[in-house]
Amino acid sequence: MAKAPPPEPIDHHYDIKRLTKVFAITSILVLPVFAWMTWQDYGRDWKAWQKKFVENDRRRTRAALRTAAEKIDPEAEEKYLEQRREGARELRHNRSAVSEAEDEAKKTEGAWYEADQDFRFKKAEMDTARYDFETRQKESPKSAGAASARKDYERLKASYEASTIVEQAARARWDEAKASLAALQKTKKDAEEALAKLDADYDRFQAKLGTLRQSDAFYFVRNAPIADMLAPSLKIQQVQLDGLYNDVNFLRSQRVDRCVTCHLAAETRGFEDREKYPQSVLRTHPRLDLFVDSNSPHPYATFGCTSCHGGRDRATDFTRAGHMPNDYGRYEHLAAQLEEGHDDKGLPTDDDEVKEAMDETQTGRWIKDYEWEVDKYNDLPMYPMKAVEAGCFRCHRSDASHPKAAKLDQGRKLVEQLGCWSCHKMKGLEDLPRVGPNLTRVASKTTPEWTERWLVNPRAFRNNTKMPRFFYLENFEGESGHRLTDTMIAGVTAYLFEKSGKASWPAVGVGDAMRGKLLFENVGCQGCHISEVGAERHVMDGWRQHGPNLIGLSQKVTPEWLGAWLKNPKGYNSETRMPNLRLSDGEIADLVAYLMSRPAQPEFARSRAPKADEKERDALVTDYLTQTKSVVEAKADVARMSPREKDLFVGEKIIGHYGCYSCHAIPGFENAKPIGVELSEWGNKPVHLLDFGFVHVPHTRADWLAQKAGQPRSYDREKVKTFQEKLRMPQFSLSSAEIEAVQTAILGMQKEDMADTLKVKAAGARGAIQAGRRIVKDFNCQGCHILEDKGGQIREAMTASKIDLALAPPVIRGEGAKVQSDWLFAFLNAPRSGQIRPWLKVRMPTFEFNPDQLNGLTSYFAALDKARYPFENRVETLDPRSRAVGAKTFDALKCAQCHPTSQDAFALALRAGKTPADLAPILAAAHTRLRYEWIADWIKRPEEWMPGTRMPTNFPKMDEGPGKPGRRISPLAPALDAPAFAGLKKDLVGIWGSEAEAKAYIGDPDRVTKALRDHVWSLGNEFLTAPQAPKAPNKTKAPAVVAAN
Amino acid sequence: MTLSGPVPKLAARPVNADVAICGKADRPSPSLVLAKDKGLANAVVWLEGAKGGALPKGPFSLDQKSCLFTPYVQVVSKGAPVVVRNSDAVLHNVHATTVAAAQIFNRAIPIKGQTFTETFSEPGVVRLKCDVHTWMTAWLFVADTPYAAVTDAEGRFSFPGVPPGTYRLKTWHELFGEKSQPVTVPASGAAKADVTLSLLDASN
Ligand SMILES: [Cu+2]
């Protein structure tokens, strides 16, 4: 009898039954969690966008298929077969028609050729008879010979005229035959192509429909919940960016952009339409030629998205990614109104209206649609789209201008011209020319009285001035603030005039203001200056406010100073960029008379001069003295100092306090350091380090900056500060457009945190172009010249003064390829008027460029046109035949009718009554100025070098049908048979030995333009002036080309 | 076509180049040619919307003779050849632009008797000038309808064979710009249209 085995002595630390229960409960609990998790993951925002994109993509493909399908009937196949049969039949028919037409064309051509021969002979006969008649007529008009010659001539003339008609008719028949042949051939070809296209459409349609059907089913399985863990087609898309980093609290981590996870459309062409795809996330990135595309300079694989746009690279959530609306500031502003129930002016507001306005902002819409909020933990959110070009600056800091980023370029111009960089160090902008005038000799230019009133409010004198206002701003309000301000102004003025060098200027003759006005309008002043009371500042897109607005000068300067200044600007201020216009004393007198007669702004005349307040002055002196001395000592000093000494002391301290010397050269401050905060990497400055004071401004970098730039002292509001602590930034009176531009430029100043290989190269041709653009910008070349297709704004002023634009400064285009670098160097160094276009009243001024600038400009022009630099081909030997042909052709084409070949010829043309404006450049110096190769190219295709030029096309392009670039032809070969050309023909045959060769030469646009070029090259060329006798054909050597510096 | 109201006085154009061939005398302005009864010559008239009829095939001709363009105003068909000729022993050029001064072509024509052929693909007014002789100007009207004409010395014009219907009669003159008025062509017989311009509508 078996006994039940005793229970095993296994040591259970748990109760299985209980455990089973725990497991059961846990799994019941975990199940919904798992379901919730799966649902959450399945429903992540980015997936929704990817789905939408996929949906759009499919819709687009389907639409494309539908279009393809529309071209195909349901009974497509049968129809195709039918069409093919028909096509073949037609083709056969066409073929025979074509061959008939060909025969017809041949026949009519033959007929025409005969008629043409007849016509030519008749013409020659008639010409001979005419000559005969003319000679006889001249010798003895009444003789019988003359009469019979006349009869002959008239008979032959009649027969010639008859032959003309025959020839024309034959020609018309031939043309008609050719036309109908061409038409038939085209019909045939069109039919073939249409058939082929329908075939291709049909095939493509079938193929795509197949893939779509297959992928439709597969897509849903693949991306279903849970199954999507295996190989989803919806997945996070990322790109690792080598050499680009994130700055995570002193740690660098590689950037990995995931933006494309939602922005799937960015890379794909075909989603550009804003109406079809209103959400930018589903649209193609604009300008794929510049961005994203792998063939663009900024391919996605290298730069990703965040290196330009900013934002958090790895985020796949709308807010976390750092999206930033354009109008967050406005939204917050409205929110404050809603809370307080009144607007800025204290007027009550309607809550519903404010709410509605809030909802209409981009910020409001984002909050509603995407639950957007400011991500406090994100130090580098994206640039709002209005400032998106800030992203360019990070790498393109060393560029002189930003032609493809308009707002950044404007901001950069403002930062440069308003002198932001003078007080705030900005890497890359350190070595610009000082923006303010040199004040080391200010006492010889203006008066203390004017200076004081100017300092009170510069805009009262010139509404558009770039000088900011330092005084009478909000943090010096009230009686005592104004007394202090007046004391400071008086001190500064006293200091400037005390330290100023003294000079006296010679008297200016009595001038005529009317003549001065004409000079002002014609000589070129208006490229850089306006003279307009009340003008608004316009420097973002303008060039004519490069120099000051010339109004109210009679209140500011003496005629003597102005005369001396115009005669030699560098004589007064060695750093000035005002060039020398080489004006005569008489011209200067006229110009001074005109400028001194220009009106002034009325508000300046009414303004009062500030007076120093003794008490405030003593307090100020004491305040400064106690920084280094005890109060007792300071008080003793104050008691001892004369009022003048106190003024000078205050002046020096205030100039130092406000950093006036950063923009102006001021004696005693030669080595002083700028007072502003360095802004080189301001774009990375953490927001929590910015002092928002008590001002209601959203806590973002952009909003802080806008407030600071617009109302620089506003962060002092409601603060208790000592004089020394008060904010010092002056008021630039920026317009809202200017603020936005400045914002873009300053936000862009970020750490250059990237591998060297990714940095913009500043060497080679690119470097030369940037260096040149820098000089062009500093000296405002585009005020007068259209250069790189921009500028030439003086034309506006000339138009207003009703001056013929043919007299405007030349358009600079292809200059590097056109002129010799040596010539350009010499010309820029010492321009002379009257050498090339003596009729121009506008003068290229003397800028007194230094050798670096001269070399910079010459290499810039060469680099723009990819021309050889610095060594060019120096041609000193010419092919005698080419030169001789050139001389003959030059005469035949009557080039000299417009182009004087020497200064004498120019004088002669003027005496003969020609209007200078109708003439073309004098060619005497062409060989010292122009590039040898260029001359021929210009003669061949002037309209391509300079669209709209008055130089006519002598070698037109043949019309070879649409889309085909026509060959250029020389109409000279057929013209050679004209009687007017008999002389030329004889000469050319003499040079070439045979008519056929002469015609071949002159009928070749390349060779004949080179011949013309050789002739032009020889004009006024001392080495070549003795004409060499043309040698017999085939014995000359090829032209020697000697390379020389 | 007639001019009503005051008649503008236009300054003569001085001859300031190649006087040996062009002559010294100032050229009267060609811009306004009036008959005794104030019929306005050199205006372009065309029917908008009239179907039927073939465009004249050309070739049209434009001569430069005695340093003037002849004819001063002419209608040419779109796409038809225009043969330009120089009948003077000086260099002329033909600088063709749109009214808005956009370049069409600029060809030199240096030799007496030389010709070249151009076609115009855009309908509308073409301004012609010779840059060498600034007084030389002329106009072409590139038409894509056969019912287009230039008024004759008496200011008259006619379009034979217009299918019956109602059209817009458009006119253009260099001093008065473009104008239009409706005109109805009956099923049989002729339609008559009088156009009156005055300086008050001068648009350019
Ligand atoms: Cu001419």
Coordinates of all heavy atoms in Angstrom, one line a residue, chain A residues 898-938:
Chain A
C898 N 30.2 108.4 -85.0 CA 29.9 108.6 -83.6 C 31.1 108.6 -82.7 O 31.2 109.3 -81.7 CB 28.9 107.5 -83.1 SG 27.4 107.5 -83.9
H899 N 32.1 107.8 -83.0 CA 33.3 107.7 -82.2 C 34.4 108.6 -82.7 O 35.0 108.2 -83.7 CB 33.8 106.2 -82.2 CG 33.0 105.2 -81.4 ND1 33.0 105.2 -80.1 CD2 32.2 104.3 -81.9 CE1 32.2 104.2 -79.7 NE2 31.7 103.6 -80.8
P900 N 34.7 109.7 -82.0 CA 35.9 110.4 -82.5 C 37.1 109.6 -82.3 O 37.2 108.8 -81.3 CB 35.9 111.6 -81.5 CG 34.5 111.7 -80.9 CD 34.0 110.3 -80.9
T901 N 38.0 109.6 -83.2 CA 39.2 108.8 -83.1 C 40.4 109.5 -82.4 O 41.4 108.9 -82.1 CB 39.7 108.3 -84.5 OG1 39.8 109.5 -85.3 CG2 38.7 107.3 -85.1
S902 N 40.2 110.8 -82.1 CA 41.2 111.5 -81.4 C 40.5 112.7 -80.7 O 39.4 113.0 -81.0 CB 42.3 111.9 -82.3 OG 41.8 112.9 -83.2
Q903 N 41.3 113.3 -79.8 CA 40.7 114.5 -79.2 C 40.5 115.6 -80.2 O 39.5 116.4 -80.2 CB 41.7 115.1 -78.1 CG 41.9 114.2 -76.9 CD 40.7 114.1 -76.0 OE1 39.9 114.9 -76.0 NE2 40.6 113.0 -75.3
D904 N 41.3 115.7 -81.3 CA 41.1 116.7 -82.3 C 39.8 116.4 -83.1 O 39.1 117.3 -83.4 CB 42.3 116.6 -83.3 CG 43.6 117.2 -82.7 OD1 43.4 117.8 -81.6 OD2 44.7 117.0 -83.2
A905 N 39.6 115.1 -83.4 CA 38.4 114.7 -84.1 C 37.2 115.1 -83.3 O 36.2 115.5 -83.8 CB 38.4 113.2 -84.4
F906 N 37.3 115.0 -82.0 CA 36.2 115.3 -81.1 C 35.9 116.8 -81.2 O 34.8 117.3 -81.4 CB 36.5 115.0 -79.7 CG 35.5 115.4 -78.7 CD1 34.2 115.0 -78.7 CD2 35.9 116.4 -77.7 CE1 33.2 115.5 -77.8 CE2 34.9 116.8 -76.8 CZ 33.6 116.4 -76.9
A907 N 37.0 117.6 -81.1 CA 36.8 119.1 -81.2 C 36.2 119.5 -82.6 O 35.3 120.3 -82.7 CB 38.2 119.8 -81.1
L908 N 36.6 118.8 -83.6 CA 36.1 119.0 -85.0 C 34.6 118.7 -85.0 O 33.8 119.4 -85.6 CB 36.9 118.1 -85.9 CG 37.2 118.7 -87.3 CD1 38.1 119.9 -87.1 CD2 37.9 117.6 -88.2
A909 N 34.2 117.6 -84.4 CA 32.8 117.1 -84.4 C 32.0 118.2 -83.7 O 30.9 118.5 -84.2 CB 32.7 115.8 -83.8
L910 N 32.5 118.7 -82.7 CA 31.7 119.8 -81.9 C 31.6 121.0 -82.8 O 30.5 121.6 -82.9 CB 32.4 120.1 -80.6 CG 32.4 119.1 -79.5 CD1 32.8 119.8 -78.2 CD2 31.0 118.5 -79.4
R911 N 32.7 121.4 -83.5 CA 32.6 122.5 -84.4 C 31.6 122.3 -85.5 O 30.9 123.2 -86.0 CB 34.0 122.9 -84.9 CG 34.4 124.3 -84.5 CD 35.8 124.6 -84.9 NE 36.8 123.8 -84.1 CZ 37.9 123.3 -84.6 NH1 38.2 123.5 -85.9 NH2 38.8 122.7 -83.9
A912 N 31.5 121.1 -85.9 CA 30.5 120.8 -87.0 C 29.1 120.7 -86.5 O 28.2 120.4 -87.2 CB 30.9 119.4 -87.6
G913 N 28.9 121.0 -85.2 CA 27.5 121.1 -84.7 C 27.0 119.9 -84.1 O 25.8 119.8 -83.8
K914 N 27.8 118.9 -83.8 CA 27.3 117.7 -83.1 C 27.0 118.0 -81.7 O 27.7 118.8 -81.0 CB 28.3 116.6 -83.2 CG 28.4 116.0 -84.6 CD 28.4 114.5 -84.5 CE 28.5 113.9 -85.9 NZ 28.2 112.5 -86.0
T915 N 26.0 117.4 -81.2 CA 25.7 117.5 -79.7 C 26.5 116.5 -79.0 O 26.4 115.3 -79.4 CB 24.2 117.3 -79.5 OG1 23.5 118.1 -80.4 CG2 23.8 117.6 -78.0
P916 N 27.3 116.9 -78.0 CA 28.2 115.9 -77.4 C 27.4 114.7 -76.9 O 27.9 113.6 -76.9 CB 28.8 116.7 -76.2 CG 28.6 118.1 -76.5 CD 27.4 118.2 -77.4
A917 N 26.2 114.9 -76.4 CA 25.4 113.8 -75.8 C 25.2 112.7 -76.8 O 24.9 111.5 -76.5 CB 24.1 114.2 -75.2
D918 N 25.3 113.0 -78.1 CA 25.0 112.0 -79.2 C 26.2 111.3 -79.6 O 26.2 110.4 -80.4 CB 24.4 112.7 -80.4 CG 23.1 113.4 -80.1 OD1 22.5 113.0 -79.1 OD2 22.7 114.3 -80.8
L919 N 27.4 111.7 -79.0 CA 28.6 111.0 -79.4 C 28.9 109.8 -78.6 O 28.3 109.5 -77.6 CB 29.8 112.0 -79.3 CG 29.8 113.1 -80.4 CD1 30.8 114.2 -80.0 CD2 30.0 112.6 -81.7
A920 N 29.9 109.0 -79.1 CA 30.3 107.8 -78.4 C 31.7 108.0 -77.9 O 32.4 108.9 -78.4 CB 30.1 106.6 -79.4
P921 N 32.2 107.1 -77.0 CA 33.5 107.3 -76.5 C 34.6 107.5 -77.5 O 34.6 106.9 -78.6 CB 33.8 106.0 -75.7 CG 32.4 105.6 -75.3 CD 31.5 106.0 -76.4
I922 N 35.5 108.4 -77.2 CA 36.7 108.7 -78.0 C 37.6 107.5 -78.0 O 37.9 106.9 -76.9 CB 37.5 109.9 -77.5 CG1 36.6 111.1 -77.5 CG2 38.7 110.2 -78.3 CD1 37.2 112.4 -76.9
L923 N 38.1 107.1 -79.2 CA 38.8 105.8 -79.2 C 40.3 105.9 -79.1 O 41.0 104.9 -79.2 CB 38.4 105.0 -80.5 CG 36.9 104.6 -80.6 CD1 36.7 104.0 -81.9 CD2 36.6 103.7 -79.5
A924 N 40.8 107.2 -79.0 CA 42.3 107.3 -79.1 C 43.0 106.6 -78.0 O 44.1 106.1 -78.2 CB 42.6 108.8 -79.0
A925 N 42.4 106.4 -76.8 CA 43.1 105.8 -75.7 C 42.7 104.3 -75.5 O 43.0 103.7 -74.5 CB 43.0 106.6 -74.5
A926 N 41.9 103.8 -76.5 CA 41.4 102.4 -76.3 C 42.5 101.4 -76.0 O 42.3 100.6 -75.1 CB 40.6 102.0 -77.6
H927 N 43.6 101.6 -76.6 CA 44.7 100.6 -76.5 C 45.3 100.7 -75.1 O 46.0 99.7 -74.7 CB 45.7 100.7 -77.5 CG 46.5 102.0 -77.4 ND1 47.8 102.0 -76.9 CD2 46.2 103.2 -77.8 CE1 48.2 103.3 -76.9 NE2 47.2 104.0 -77.5
T928 N 45.2 101.8 -74.4 CA 45.7 101.8 -73.0 C 44.7 101.5 -72.0 O 45.0 101.3 -70.8 CB 46.3 103.3 -72.7 OG1 45.2 104.2 -72.8 CG2 47.4 103.6 -73.7
R929 N 43.4 101.5 -72.4 CA 42.3 101.4 -71.5 C 41.6 100.0 -71.5 O 41.4 99.4 -70.5 CB 41.3 102.5 -71.7 CG 40.1 102.4 -70.9 CD 39.2 103.7 -71.1 NE 37.9 103.4 -70.5 CZ 36.8 103.2 -71.2 NH1 36.9 103.3 -72.5 NH2 35.7 103.0 -70.6
L930 N 41.4 99.6 -72.8 CA 40.5 98.4 -72.9 C 41.4 97.1 -73.0 O 42.5 97.2 -73.4 CB 39.6 98.6 -74.1 CG 38.7 99.8 -74.1 CD1 38.0 99.9 -75.4 CD2 37.8 99.7 -73.0
R931 N 40.7 96.0 -72.7 CA 41.4 94.8 -72.9 C 41.3 94.4 -74.3 O 40.2 94.5 -74.9 CB 40.8 93.7 -72.0 CG 41.1 93.9 -70.5 CD 40.7 92.7 -69.7 NE 40.9 93.1 -68.3 CZ 41.5 92.2 -67.4 NH1 41.9 91.0 -67.8 NH2 41.7 92.6 -66.2
Y932 N 42.4 93.9 -74.9 CA 42.5 93.6 -76.3 C 41.4 92.6 -76.7 O 40.6 92.9 -77.7 CB 43.8 93.0 -76.5 CG 44.1 92.6 -78.0 CD1 44.3 93.6 -78.9 CD2 44.3 91.3 -78.4 CE1 44.6 93.3 -80.2 CE2 44.6 91.0 -79.7 CZ 44.7 92.0 -80.6 OH 45.0 91.7 -81.9
E933 N 41.2 91.6 -75.9 CA 40.2 90.5 -76.3 C 38.8 91.1 -76.2 O 37.9 90.8 -77.0 CB 40.3 89.3 -75.3 CG 41.6 88.6 -75.3 CD 42.6 89.3 -74.4 OE1 42.2 90.3 -73.7 OE2 43.7 88.8 -74.4
W934 N 38.6 92.0 -75.3 CA 37.2 92.5 -75.0 C 36.7 93.3 -76.2 O 35.5 93.2 -76.5 CB 37.2 93.4 -73.7 CG 35.9 93.9 -73.4 CD1 34.9 93.3 -72.8 CD2 35.4 95.2 -73.8 NE1 33.8 94.1 -72.7 CE2 34.1 95.3 -73.3 CE3 35.9 96.3 -74.5 CZ2 33.3 96.5 -73.5 CZ3 35.1 97.4 -74.7 CH2 33.8 97.5 -74.2
I935 N 37.6 94.1 -76.8 CA 37.1 95.0 -77.9 C 36.4 94.3 -78.9 O 35.3 94.7 -79.3 CB 38.3 95.8 -78.5 CG1 39.1 96.6 -77.4 CG2 37.8 96.8 -79.5 CD1 40.3 97.3 -77.8
A936 N 37.0 93.2 -79.4 CA 36.3 92.4 -80.5 C 35.0 91.9 -80.0 O 34.0 91.9 -80.7 CB 37.2 91.3 -80.9
D937 N 35.0 91.4 -78.8 CA 33.7 90.8 -78.3 C 32.6 91.8 -78.1 O 31.5 91.6 -78.4 CB 34.1 90.2 -76.9 CG 33.1 89.1 -76.5 OD1 32.4 88.6 -77.5 OD2 32.9 88.8 -75.3
W938 N 33.0 93.0 -77.7 CA 32.1 94.1 -77.6 C 31.5 94.5 -78.9 O 30.3 94.6 -79.1 CB 32.7 95.3 -76.9 CG 32.0 96.6 -77.1 CD1 32.3 97.6 -78.0 CD2 30.8 97.1 -76.4 NE1 31.4 98.6 -77.8 CE2 30.5 98.3 -76.9 CE3 30.1 96.5 -75.3 CZ2 29.4 99.1 -76.4 CZ3 29.0 97.2 -74.9 CH2 28.7 98.5 -75.4

